[in-house]
Amino acid sequence: MHVDSGPSRPTRAEYYMGIALAVRRRANCIGNRVGALLVREDRIIATGYNGTPQHMPNCDEGGCERCANRAKYPSHSAYDVCICVHAEQNALLTAARFGIAVEGAVLYTTLRPCFSCAKELLQARVHAVYYLHDWRHPDDDLWAQYRRLEREFAGGVARIQVDDPEAEWAVSKIRERAVNGSDLVERGRT
């Protein structure tokens, strides 16, 4: 007797990235919308999405000066004045707030982590990073420095290919390509 098993069972990486995509739906950034989760010993220990700190107006309400004035603060600049907290940072901070150790955890995120997040993840001793959408700094020297950071993750940094039906809503460079019809437009993280 043959039993229809339904859709194929996702790999663990596909499963966790699917959850990161669900977490991303809470993101409230005008730039990229990102979801992330930390997994340790095959258990989710924390999630995070990007947006302004608690009890502050969200980006779409004018909460962040940098996000509200994209022409004044172009991509890859003024992160020091952006009040948005990245998804990866929020996952780390959530774990810290509840006293959950992250050493040895694996991060699943819908966008390759930025410089700051990569440094913080390394310092917290996160073991590996898996991401869905790519991000690259446009300056070759800084990109080389970023790649050095990535090589320090004991478990590596790798891209996961899963379907993202909301990519145009979530990823600024994809939204901009849709508007401008060009693959040459490349924007930053937020």
Side-chain angles (χ1 to χ4, degrees):
M1 177 170 140
H2 175 66
V3 177
D4 181 13
S5 61
S8 64
R9 186 175 187 205
T11 66
R12 291 193 189 285
E14 292 167 338
Y15 168 73
Y16 290 128
M17 190 59 72
I19 295 170
L21 287 167
V23 170
R24 178 183 73 187
R25 301 218 49 206
R26 292 281 306 154
N28 191 286
C29 184
I30 294 172
N32 289 302
R33 294 168 180 100
V34 182
L37 56 113
L38 287 163
V39 176
R40 193 178 73 220
E41 297 177 15
D42 209 24
R43 297 288 180 249
I44 298 168
I45 59 172
T47 65
Y49 54 88
N50 60 327
T52 57
Q54 280 187 319
H55 310 297
M56 296 192 73
N58 287 310
C59 283
D60 63 357
E61 300 166 330
C64 178
E65 168 71 19
R66 181 182 178 272
C67 290
N69 296 289
R70 305 294 281 177
K72 183 177 177 183
Y73 305 105
S75 292
H76 308 292
S77 69
Y79 285 122
D80 59 326
V81 298
C82 181
I83 66 166
C84 293
V85 182
H86 287 187
E88 302 89 341
Q89 293 168 322
N90 268 324
L92 287 172
L93 293 167
T94 297
R97 185 176 18 200
F98 293 105
I100 301 169
V102 300
E103 185 171 357
V106 175
L107 178 86
Y108 292 86
T109 181
T110 60
L111 187 64
R112 185 183 218 150
C114 70
F115 267 94
S116 292
C117 290
K119 291 184 300 185
E120 292 161 9
L121 293 162
L122 272 174
Q123 192 68 8
R125 297 187 180 174
V126 167
H127 178 72
V129 174
Y130 294 104
Y131 65 91
L132 176 59
H133 294 288
D134 208 0
W135 167 86
R136 185 188 193 287
H137 198 284
D139 181 292
D140 289 338
D141 293 330
L142 293 176
W143 180 243
Q145 182 173 316
Y146 177 86
R147 297 291 291 179
R148 282 197 331 251
L149 281 173
E150 283 189 326
R151 286 191 294 273
E152 293 300 315
F153 285 96
V157 176
R159 188 172 187 183
I160 296 176
Q161 299 286 13
V162 298
D163 184 42
D164 184 359
E166 296 178 325
E168 192 172 310
W169 166 80
V171 183
S172 63
K173 65 183 176 185
I174 294 173
R175 283 196 311 270
E176 193 153 321
R177 284 180 193 147
V179 171
N180 295 330
S182 170
D183 282 344
L184 299 176
V185 176
E186 193 68 27
R187 297 205 32 205
R189 277 203 41 109
T190 57

